[in-house]
Amino acid sequence: MATNYDKLNGLDSEQKYKFLVKRSRENRLPETLERLLNNDKVSNKLDFLLQSLKLLEEGELINSVTTDTSNALIAYTATCVTSELEAIIEWFFKHIRKEELKSCKSIETLGKSLSRVPSLKSILYEGEVFSGVEGYNCYINKLCTLRWSKAYVLPLVEMLRDVSLDGKQLDTVTDKILNTLSFISLPDVPQLVYQLLLFASKGKHKTVISGVINTFRELEKTFADENTNEDSLFSNPSLSEEFVQVEGTTILHITIAIKHDIELGKAIIWNLKHIRNFTCFSLGLGVALLSHHRFTEQVMTLLKSAIQKNLKCRSLIKQSKILNDIITNPNDIGEIFKALISRKDGGWDLLTEGLVKLAFVLLDSPETSDISSANIGISILETCYKLHPHCKSAVLNQVLNRIISSSQLPSNKHRKLLYSISRRSLQLMLTETKVLKDNLPNIPQIPVSNAEAVLSAIVPVMRYDTPLRDYSIMVFRKSLFSKDRNSRTIAVIGLTEMMKKFKVGEAYSQSSQLSCSQVQVHMMVTKDINEAVCTEIVLLLKRALKQQNSIRSTVYDRLGDVVSCNQQIYPMVLQLLGEQLDAIYEKDVNLLPPIKLSECVTTLPEHSILREPVPNLIRAIFQCTQLIRTRIDEEDDDIMKLTEKLTSILLRCCKSDLEDWELDKAVQFGNTGVESRNLVTAQSLISILEVLLEHIILNAQGLSEEADSFKKLFYILNNIIELLNEKQSSSKAKKFKPQPSFFSLEAIATLLEYLFENDKSEHEDFCTTLRTTTNISTWALGTLMDHLKNFPSNNCDFTSKDVSRTLRNLSKSIVQNLANSNSLYREKFSSVLLKVVQIVKNLDSDRFDEFCEGCQINKESSLCSQIFTFLKSSTEEENFEEAQNYLAILYTINNNDSNMLSWIDDVVKVGGLNSALSKDTVAYLLSNNRENSKNHDTLLAISEDIHSCLGDIEDEDYSLNHQKIYQIITENNAPRILLVQSLAIDKLLSDIEWGIQMGCNEDQADVISVILSKIAAILIPLLQCQTPRGTSVIDQVGRTVKNFYTTFTAFIKHETAKVSERGTLRSLEKLSKVVGKQLNDSLYKFMIYIETHDDETGKKRTQVVIRKQVIALPGIIYALEQCERNLITLSKKAKSVDFMEHFKRSTARDFRIRGDLLRSNDNQDENTDDNSNKQPRKKQKLSSR
């Protein structure tokens, strides 16, 4: 053996390597190494060890041999001498730097070698001797400074995980691993994150989570930059599927890790609170945390707040030019949610439950909260319902439960969601018929508006599900005879909705309408079945027409829509309506009136009621007959009979007078007894006449006979209205409420066209007769305003095309005739147009611009020119109300167009308007000027003009020989405009403060500093004005100044935190100079002016008024002191700049010794003492005990 060892000692490195290779092929490498390394006769064990490491890195050994060999090497490193240990570590560092490691199977040896270093007394590192602990620290730092190849990252991280690391070493290693995240291969990212999570358990939870979130943000940005077709990553269809899979898997790893380490969840929450711009990964991480019950409530509140903050920020950036310059527009969080929902695999499906929870929280928030948040919730639930089958039942059930169990006002957001699901996902709803069936019995117990929403979703499904249809009819039949009137109304609504969908004469197969996988295949629904269903429903409605007035009205009002949707059912409907009409129709054509109205009114002990809603019945017959006539060629006998009766009613109503209806001038109207019967009769007659007038207008062919009939009917209507108004004004009893008009919006729009448009040449005689009718225009406009005032609650669905088209035509007609009308009607037209524009803006803001274009009230139309021409030519005596309406219209349109702003700027420069109108005009200019880059110049000019009009506190400080720019500002209206100016400055300061909170870089901070300098220059003239004392203007100016110093302080704090990174801003030095040298001096004078005891007339003011005037001063002083305090702190940190150089230092700014007041008080005391000495003393009486 000795000879063999001598022979081995004589081998060079290459020969030793070949020897070890030969042993490895014989599977004897581990035992050979153990024998060599543990034998003292082997002179150069290090060479064998290093060659073994090289052999391991070749990766040609079988697994068992590799494991045993590695264990042998690790065992030797635990006992080897220090020099060999140093050589082993340096060998690894050299091969890592040169990227010569091929399989990294020997990396564990490096870990064990490093672990031994701290236990050594000394070690040689790069020619210097260090203690074991110091050397260990050097090795860790050197390892982290090396460039790690992509293939080395995971093995090195696994190795470092088992190495003991103190605080600084752990920081170094964690930062190194986080840096490698951005360049390693995508498939390795989840595994590396998993290793990082193990490092986080050593106390680096926040660092690890923050680093992972930032890394994925940069990766998402990289993918977005590489995509040339899309600007947004979240709407990018070409986004790498591999990257999406990696994000999902990473979220899955983190979610699982939280179950074992609760501190990770807390770290995620901490990071989410500090994220200003969410990405798919960061938002997905927050949603994933919702599945952990410990964090659900906290994360839900955080995400809801983040959504509202994101929406608010994007909205403010759109409105403000300042915010566009000082902050970056954040990602659209709604688009991020859409991207999250569309990702199904690779861990993303775990987010579905959390997304549904969050969406319902957004929907359940109060109606007063931001509507955009609710829209995001609706979008989430819609998409989840379509793309994630496992959550369909939960979503539908929760929506129905929220609508059905709502005991308060109906939720429009939940109804909107249900409507969207039923219209866009009908196939999917067919798989949830059990949920629908379970909720059907509860529908008659809920509010009517909620019931309509549920029924509109359920009824379409009944066409394809026979058991559901039969069960629904049974529920409605039972509800129709319930004691609760609300239940009966809902039953009528449900039955009529079914009649719309089960069309007679139409046969269809379920398999032809829907996917075969969703329904029973080839289940035929024949026209006979539909007809049988409709016949059964008509019989039930006939029973409903024997109930109260409200139930009958509901039936009549819905039958017109039924015939419109289900044309072939008209014979049954007309027969039903004809029977009801025959009961009240006077068959003798020579008798007046044509309707037995007195038989329809029932007198009760306390009041009277209309048993048969005659106006609703007549309107329903008119609608049905007119619809059928336009759609069928042949005249039906039933239609002809009903038409003859309606014509007879119309003609005989024209011949009737008030005496025929038992409504002469001698009758009395009230709320009890016979008087209440007269009132019900009069109101019913008004509604009947409105129905007849509407029929004439909507079906007019331009005949003179039609115009005469309209004129006679309106004459009777006008007489009844005048009679009611006369009796009501003279009566001392309780006033009776007016009833809603039966004259529809569509009829009013058509009537206004006949009355005011000049292009009706084919109906010239008809229009002439209408225009000569007394009070017709006033009544039409008054009725129109009543409709618009009650628009949200007048049973009109704004989303319907008919209502939207009617409003558009109405507005277009008003705009076209606005300039041609006389002053009286022009003022009313402007009021109507303003109301319509406000309604559309509130109820359908998404299509508001389209509406304005259709009505020709957009920025390119002639209406704006007319408005500005009118405003320029207006004087104090002219129509103030009309001008106010015009300004309100412009404010509502709010196009922020440069032409509109220049026009209104011209109006303000010309002036001559009413004082209150001047204030509104300037307010409109300033509110729409927020997106204009010249906004500060406008504010400065207005401030100087106000200063010029009100005068200066001290004449020598400011020259009043100022050439005014805006002539609209006068001495009378300057205080009002000063109030508007202060509010506009407050908005600017609010925008700046929001931008500071959102964070800004150096360039953006420089812009903030410049803007604050301009605002300080704007405030200086305002503070030196002789503002009228005792008014709210002084309080508002004080609040504005306080807000300025508060915003300036927030900016100083922001710059103090950044001064060590980027130094001080040059513009901040200029700002501090302006504030300290000019604004503060003006502020001191302003405070002295407020405290002055003598007003302009020289009269003494009471202490109460003084107290009210100076109440704002402590707040202003405190804000100024905080500003100076933070400036001192910034100066100390900056060292090279003294920001307090131009500030007047004061030790006692909160009080002053007024010598004149002391002297006057002393004189008063002396006089009081003299008077008291002259008066005789009164004897004091001792009270006996």
Side-chain angles (χ1 to χ4, degrees):
M1 274 305 282
T3 306
N4 291 338
Y5 283 119
D6 292 339
K7 184 178 179 181
L8 289 175
N9 291 333
L11 298 176
D12 58 15
S13 297
E14 186 176 353
Q15 290 172 337
K16 290 177 181 177
Y17 178 75
K18 290 180 180 179
F19 170 76
L20 294 175
V21 170
K22 182 179 179 182
R23 289 288 188 242
S24 66
R25 290 172 182 171
E26 298 172 356
N27 294 333
R28 297 172 56 192
L29 179 60
E31 56 190 61
T32 302
L33 274 177
E34 287 181 6
R35 195 176 299 151
L36 291 173
L37 296 176
N38 295 324
N39 197 314
D40 295 335
K41 295 181 180 180
V42 180
S43 60
N44 196 349
K45 299 177 183 179
L46 181 62
D47 273 352
F48 283 105
L49 191 146
L50 296 180
Q51 295 305 322
S52 301
L53 292 175
K54 180 180 178 182
L55 183 59
L56 279 175
E57 289 302 321
E58 292 294 336
E60 296 179 357
L61 303 178
I62 61 176
N63 291 336
S64 59
V65 174
T66 301
T67 302
D68 294 340
T69 304
S70 180
N71 291 336
L73 295 175
I74 291 171
Y76 180 72
T77 56
T79 58
C80 67
V81 297
T82 304
S83 59
E84 291 178 337
L85 192 65
E86 295 168 356
I88 293 171
I89 296 173
E90 289 297 335
W91 184 89
F92 275 106
F93 284 1
K94 174 185 175 183
H95 282 71
I96 291 172
R97 183 174 58 252
K98 294 184 177 181
E99 298 183 5
E100 293 177 349
L101 299 178
K102 296 181 180 179
S103 64
C104 293
K105 293 182 178 179
S106 62
I107 284 291
E108 191 176 355
T109 306
L110 174 61
K112 295 299 181 181
S113 302
L114 289 172
S115 299
R116 189 183 164 203
V117 172
S119 62
L120 300 176
K121 292 184 178 179
S122 63
I123 192 168
L124 186 66
Y125 175 75
E126 294 184 353
E128 295 185 22
V129 178
F130 293 93
S131 66
V133 175
E134 292 174 345
Y136 179 67
N137 191 39
C138 293
Y139 280 129
I140 293 296
N141 289 335
K142 184 175 182 180
L143 178 61
C144 292
T145 56
L146 295 175
R147 184 186 180 278
W148 294 359
S149 173
K150 293 181 181 180
Y152 300 167
V153 173
L154 287 175
L156 285 172
V157 172
E158 290 180 7
M159 177 270 294
L160 287 170
R161 189 188 70 194
D162 298 328
V163 171
S164 175
L165 300 170
D166 61 16
K168 292 183 179 179
Q169 294 166 355
L170 187 60
D171 289 339
T172 304
V173 171
T174 304
D175 292 340
K176 176 64 177 180
I177 300 173
L178 287 172
N179 291 333
T180 61
L181 261 178
S182 57
F183 68 82
I184 66 170
S185 302
L186 278 178
D188 294 334
V189 170
Q191 191 174 352
L192 182 57
V193 171
Y194 176 76
Q195 298 294 336
L196 272 169
L197 295 176
L198 297 176
F199 270 98
S201 62
K202 299 180 179 181
K204 294 297 176 183
H205 300 90
K206 291 181 181 178
T207 304
V208 169
I209 295 298
S210 179
V212 171
I213 291 175
N214 292 332
T215 300
F216 275 99
R217 177 184 288 110
E218 294 301 320
L219 289 173
E220 288 186 2
K221 185 178 179 182
T222 302
F223 276 98
D225 293 339
E226 290 176 356
N227 179 30
T228 57
N229 299 322
E230 298 284 342
D231 294 329
S232 173
L233 169 69
F234 313 113
S235 58
N236 179 5
S238 61
L239 182 63
S240 170
E241 293 184 6
E242 183 182 15
F243 177 67
V244 173
Q245 189 86 7
V246 166
E247 282 187 310
T249 307
T250 304
I251 290 175
L252 180 61
H253 283 326
I254 296 175
T255 305
I256 296 173
I258 293 172
K259 296 179 180 179
H260 303 285
D261 188 356
I262 207 70
E263 294 299 324
L264 277 175
K266 296 178 181 178
I268 293 174
I269 291 175
W270 183 87
N271 277 277
L272 291 177
K273 288 179 180 178
H274 295 82
I275 292 177
R276 294 188 176 91
N277 197 6
F278 279 91
T279 61
C280 278
F281 180 81
S282 56
L283 192 60
L285 204 56
V287 174
L289 202 57
L290 291 172
S291 60
H292 295 268
H293 299 294
R294 179 169 180 175
F295 303 111
T296 300
E297 186 175 351
Q298 191 175 359
V299 175
M300 193 71 74
T301 304
L302 193 152
L303 289 178
K304 185 179 177 182
S305 174
I307 291 170
Q308 293 173 348
K309 190 174 182 180
N310 178 275
L311 295 171
K312 180 182 178 181
C313 186
R314 291 179 64 84
S315 175
L316 288 174
I317 289 175
K318 287 181 182 178
Q319 298 171 9
S320 174
K321 179 70 170 64
I322 291 177
L323 283 177
N324 262 315
D325 296 335
I326 64 178
I327 61 175
T328 306
N329 198 2
N331 298 325
D332 187 352
I333 203 163
E335 293 295 324
I336 302 176
F337 275 115
K338 289 181 181 178
L340 287 181
I341 304 167
S342 62
R343 301 176 179 183
K344 300 181 182 179
D345 304 323
W348 292 105
D349 53 341
L350 297 177
L351 305 184
T352 307
E353 183 183 352
L355 286 169
V356 171
K357 286 182 182 178
L358 176 62
F360 275 112
V361 167
L362 295 176
L363 248 67
D364 294 340
S365 58
E367 295 283 350
T368 54
S369 64
D370 193 358
I371 298 176
S372 301
S373 300
N375 290 337
I376 290 178
I378 291 173
S379 176
I380 292 173
L381 291 172
E382 283 180 7
T383 314
C384 283
Y385 192 87
K386 292 178 187 177
L387 301 181
H388 301 277
H390 62 278
C391 69
K392 284 191 308 177
S393 179
V395 171
L396 184 60
N397 215 346
Q398 287 192 57
V399 175
L400 291 173
N401 285 340
R402 279 167 167 77
I403 296 177
I404 291 174
S405 62
S406 175
S407 58
Q408 301 176 354
L409 292 175
S411 171
N412 292 326
K413 296 177 288 187
H414 294 91
R415 290 189 297 175
K416 181 179 178 182
L417 172 62
L418 184 60
Y419 177 85
S420 178
I421 290 176
S422 63
R423 290 297 179 272
R424 300 177 184 177
S425 308
L426 183 58
Q427 294 183 12
L428 300 176
M429 285 192 71
L430 281 168
T431 61
E432 304 299 330
T433 52
K434 185 180 184 303
V435 176
L436 302 178
K437 193 172 181 180
D438 292 341
N439 284 282
L440 259 175
N442 300 319
I443 295 176
Q445 313 301 326
I446 63 177
V448 175
S449 54
N450 282 10
E452 283 188 275
V454 179
L455 290 172
S456 64
I458 293 179
V459 170
V461 184
M462 296 179 190
R463 300 174 63 191
Y464 309 102
D465 192 282
T466 303
L468 181 63
R469 179 199 68 198
D470 296 339
Y471 184 68
S472 301
I473 294 177
M474 184 188 71
V475 171
F476 295 147
R477 182 190 292 112
K478 182 180 179 180
S479 301
L480 196 58
F481 302 100
S482 170
K483 293 182 180 180
D484 183 24
R485 186 179 301 183
N486 186 65
S487 299
R488 284 176 274 156
T489 303
I490 294 172
V492 170
I493 294 172
L495 293 171
T496 50
E497 283 293 324
M498 291 183 68
M499 290 178 72
K500 292 180 186 179
K501 301 301 178 183
F502 289 87
K503 298 182 180 180
V504 176
E506 178 181 303
Y508 53 88
S509 172
Q510 291 182 355
S511 59
S512 65
Q513 296 287 326
L514 300 170
S515 170
C516 295
S517 62
Q518 302 292 336
V519 296
Q520 300 173 7
V521 183
H522 302 298
M523 181 177 175
M524 202 68 181
V525 180
T526 65
K527 58 183 180 181
D528 294 335
I529 294 177
N530 284 348
E531 186 173 357
V533 171
C534 291
T535 303
E536 183 179 358
I537 292 175
V538 168
L539 293 175
L540 291 173
L541 293 179
K542 188 178 292 187
R543 301 285 297 273
L545 289 176
K546 296 180 181 179
Q547 299 184 14
Q548 290 95 335
N549 177 298
S550 60
I551 308 299
R552 298 187 187 194
S553 300
T554 305
V555 176
Y556 295 147
D557 292 342
R558 301 184 70 86
L559 284 179
D561 292 337
V562 169
V563 174
S564 177
C565 297
N566 193 353
Q567 178 183 330
Q568 297 301 323
I569 204 178
Y570 80 87
M572 290 185 279
V573 173
L574 291 183
Q575 183 182 359
L576 184 66
L577 294 174
E579 292 175 357
Q580 296 297 118
L581 181 62
D582 289 340
I584 61 170
Y585 176 68
E586 182 57 62
K587 296 180 181 179
D588 190 346
V589 295
N590 296 321
L591 292 180
L592 297 177
I595 298 173
K596 302 172 185 177
L597 193 57
S598 60
E599 297 181 5
C600 300
V601 180
T602 301
T603 304
L604 300 176
E606 296 182 355
H607 62 280
S608 299
I609 59 172
L610 184 66
R611 181 173 50 81
E612 179 65 55
V614 182
N616 305 72
L617 172 60
I618 296 176
R619 184 171 61 181
I621 297 174
F622 271 132
Q623 289 176 348
C624 294
T625 53
Q626 197 62 32
L627 280 169
I628 297 164
R629 277 181 172 180
T630 57
R631 297 184 183 182
I632 63 174
D633 299 330
E634 299 179 358
E635 282 287 343
D636 188 89
D637 292 339
D638 293 335
I639 298 176
M640 292 178 65
K641 289 179 182 178
L642 280 175
T643 304
E644 289 176 0
K645 292 178 182 178
L646 292 175
T647 305
S648 175
I649 291 173
L650 194 152
L651 294 176
R652 283 192 280 172
C653 282
C654 293
K655 298 176 183 179
S656 303
D657 53 21
L658 293 182
E659 286 76 8
D660 295 327
W661 299 96
E662 299 178 1
L663 293 172
D664 54 15
K665 293 187 177 181
V667 300
Q668 297 296 323
F669 302 103
N671 297 313
T672 58
V674 178
E675 294 179 354
S676 69
R677 182 182 182 88
N678 295 335
L679 177 60
V680 172
T681 303
Q683 291 178 338
S684 302
L685 181 57
I686 289 174
S687 299
I688 292 171
L689 293 174
E690 287 176 342
V691 171
L692 297 175
L693 290 172
E694 178 179 333
H695 173 69
I696 294 174
I697 283 296
L698 294 180
N699 300 283
Q701 297 178 356
L703 301 177
S704 58
E705 292 83 359
E706 294 173 332
D708 292 338
S709 298
F710 187 93
K711 189 172 184 178
K712 291 176 183 178
L713 290 173
F714 182 76
Y715 175 76
I716 301 171
L717 175 65
N718 192 44
N719 287 341
I720 301 174
I721 294 174
E722 290 180 352
L723 179 61
L724 280 172
N725 292 336
E726 178 185 348
K727 297 293 183 180
Q728 186 175 12
S729 61
S730 61
S731 175
K732 296 182 181 179
K734 183 179 178 181
K735 304 300 181 183
F736 37 85
K737 295 190 298 183
Q739 60 179 0
S741 176
F742 274 70
F743 202 72
S744 65
L745 276 174
E746 183 182 2
I748 295 175
T750 308
L751 177 59
L752 291 178
E753 290 180 10
Y754 286 129
L755 289 175
F756 295 102
E757 290 189 12
N758 298 320
D759 57 351
K760 300 284 185 181
S761 55
E762 69 277 8
H763 295 166
E764 185 174 352
D765 294 339
F766 184 79
C767 294
T768 303
T769 304
L770 290 182
R771 290 165 187 168
T772 57
T773 305
T774 308
N775 295 334
I776 184 66
S777 300
T778 305
W779 173 80
L781 290 172
T783 306
L784 175 57
M785 283 303 295
D786 291 340
H787 270 293
L788 296 176
K789 287 177 182 177
N790 301 320
F791 193 83
S793 59
N794 63 354
N795 297 326
C796 287
D797 182 10
F798 184 76
T799 58
S800 68
K801 295 181 179 179
D802 293 338
V803 177
S804 181
R805 183 177 63 252
T806 300
L807 286 178
R808 185 169 59 250
N809 294 339
L810 177 64
S811 302
K812 189 175 180 181
S813 175
I814 291 174
V815 170
Q816 290 174 350
N817 297 281
L818 201 55
N820 303 326
S821 307
N822 58 49
S823 59
L824 174 63
Y825 292 136
R826 196 169 60 231
E827 181 180 330
K828 291 185 176 181
F829 275 149
S830 63
S831 300
V832 170
L833 184 59
L834 171 61
K835 191 65 178 177
V836 172
V837 169
Q838 290 174 340
I839 287 173
V840 179
K841 184 74 176 284
N842 291 334
L843 299 182
D844 198 11
S845 56
D846 295 338
R847 292 184 293 176
F848 180 69
D849 293 336
E850 179 185 345
F851 175 83
C852 291
E853 268 186 49
C855 303
Q856 299 180 358
I857 55 176
N858 54 340
K859 56 190 177 186
E860 290 86 6
S861 68
S862 60
L863 174 66
C864 292
S865 303
Q866 295 175 20
I867 290 176
F868 287 115
T869 303
F870 175 81
L871 291 175
K872 286 181 182 180
S873 60
S874 302
T875 62
E876 293 276 347
E877 292 77 19
E878 286 190 345
N879 297 321
F880 169 65
E881 294 292 337
E882 182 182 354
Q884 256 195 337
N885 290 334
Y886 286 148
L887 276 175
I889 290 171
L890 292 177
Y891 187 81
T892 307
I893 296 172
N894 195 18
N895 283 314
N896 293 310
D897 181 60
S898 57
N899 292 332
M900 293 179 69
L901 289 175
S902 63
W903 284 337
I904 199 70
D905 191 65
D906 291 342
V907 172
V908 176
K909 287 179 179 178
V910 172
L913 298 180
N914 179 284
S915 295
L917 188 60
S918 302
K919 172 189 171 184
D920 294 340
T921 309
V922 174
Y924 172 77
L925 173 65
L926 295 179
S927 65
N928 285 272
N929 216 23
R930 289 179 69 193
E931 291 190 10
N932 194 346
S933 58
K934 297 182 179 180
N935 187 23
H936 307 98
D937 299 335
T938 304
L939 288 169
L940 181 59
I942 292 176
S943 293
E944 291 173 348
D945 289 347
I946 293 172
H947 190 186
S948 175
C949 291
L950 292 178
D952 192 76
I953 296 174
E954 297 179 357
D955 294 338
E956 64 272 17
D957 291 340
Y958 182 78
S959 175
L960 298 182
N961 298 323
H962 171 70
Q963 185 66 34
K964 281 204 308 181
I965 298 176
Y966 294 106
Q967 302 301 322
I968 198 172
I969 303 174
T970 63
E971 187 176 353
N972 292 331
N973 63 24
R976 293 184 177 184
I977 295 177
L978 175 56
L979 189 64
V980 172
Q981 174 87 335
S982 297
L983 293 173
I985 296 172
D986 282 344
K987 287 185 179 180
L988 289 179
L989 293 172
S990 176
D991 290 344
I992 294 172
E993 195 165 1
W994 178 267
I996 294 171
Q997 290 176 4
M998 295 298 293
C1000 49
N1001 55 33
E1002 186 174 357
D1003 295 336
Q1004 293 168 340
D1006 191 64
V1007 173
I1008 291 176
S1009 186
V1010 172
I1011 294 172
L1012 285 175
S1013 299
K1014 292 181 179 179
I1015 294 177
I1018 294 167
L1019 286 172
I1020 291 170
L1022 297 183
L1023 290 174
Q1024 297 195 187
C1025 292
Q1026 289 187 11
T1027 309
R1029 299 183 180 92
T1031 62
S1032 62
V1033 180
I1034 285 184
D1035 296 337
Q1036 179 57 46
V1037 173
R1039 282 193 293 270
T1040 302
V1041 175
K1042 178 184 174 183
N1043 291 340
F1044 174 82
Y1045 282 105
T1046 303
T1047 306
F1048 187 24
T1049 302
F1051 182 59
I1052 295 169
K1053 290 179 179 178
H1054 179 272
E1055 288 304 299
T1056 303
K1058 301 289 183 181
V1059 68
S1060 58
E1061 299 177 12
R1062 62 192 186 201
T1064 59
L1065 298 172
R1066 184 73 177 168
S1067 56
L1068 182 57
E1069 298 178 34
K1070 296 180 180 178
L1071 171 60
S1072 62
K1073 182 178 180 180
V1074 172
V1075 174
K1077 203 169 185 178
Q1078 301 177 35
L1079 183 62
N1080 283 2
D1081 290 343
S1082 300
L1083 177 60
Y1084 297 146
K1085 296 172 184 177
F1086 175 74
M1087 289 191 289
I1088 294 173
Y1089 174 73
I1090 293 177
E1091 292 176 325
T1092 303
H1093 284 239
D1094 295 331
D1095 59 11
E1096 293 80 358
T1097 61
K1099 296 179 181 179
K1100 285 279 185 180
R1101 291 181 297 152
T1102 63
Q1103 293 295 328
V1104 176
V1105 176
I1106 295 173
R1107 207 173 291 118
K1108 287 182 179 179
Q1109 295 261 328
V1110 301
I1111 197 171
L1113 294 185
I1116 299 174
I1117 292 171
Y1118 178 77
L1120 177 58
E1121 289 174 346
Q1122 291 299 310
C1123 176
E1124 293 178 353
R1125 176 188 172 190
N1126 284 278
L1127 270 179
I1128 293 171
T1129 304
L1130 179 59
S1131 300
K1132 290 179 179 178
K1133 281 199 171 185
K1135 296 180 180 179
S1136 59
V1137 182
D1138 182 13
F1139 291 98
M1140 291 294 295
E1141 179 182 359
H1142 303 284
F1143 279 74
K1144 184 187 297 183
R1145 298 174 185 270
S1146 177
T1147 56
R1149 193 179 8 250
D1150 53 348
F1151 68 91
R1152 293 183 300 115
I1153 298 175
R1154 296 289 300 274
D1156 53 346
L1157 292 178
L1158 290 174
R1159 284 190 292 272
S1160 63
N1161 289 334
D1162 288 341
N1163 294 333
Q1164 289 178 5
D1165 292 340
E1166 290 176 2
N1167 295 333
T1168 304
D1169 292 339
D1170 293 340
N1171 295 332
S1172 62
N1173 291 332
K1174 293 178 182 179
Q1175 293 178 359
R1177 279 186 188 174
K1178 294 182 179 180
K1179 294 182 179 179
Q1180 297 180 354
K1181 295 182 179 180
L1182 297 175
S1183 58
S1184 59
R1185 295 184 180 179

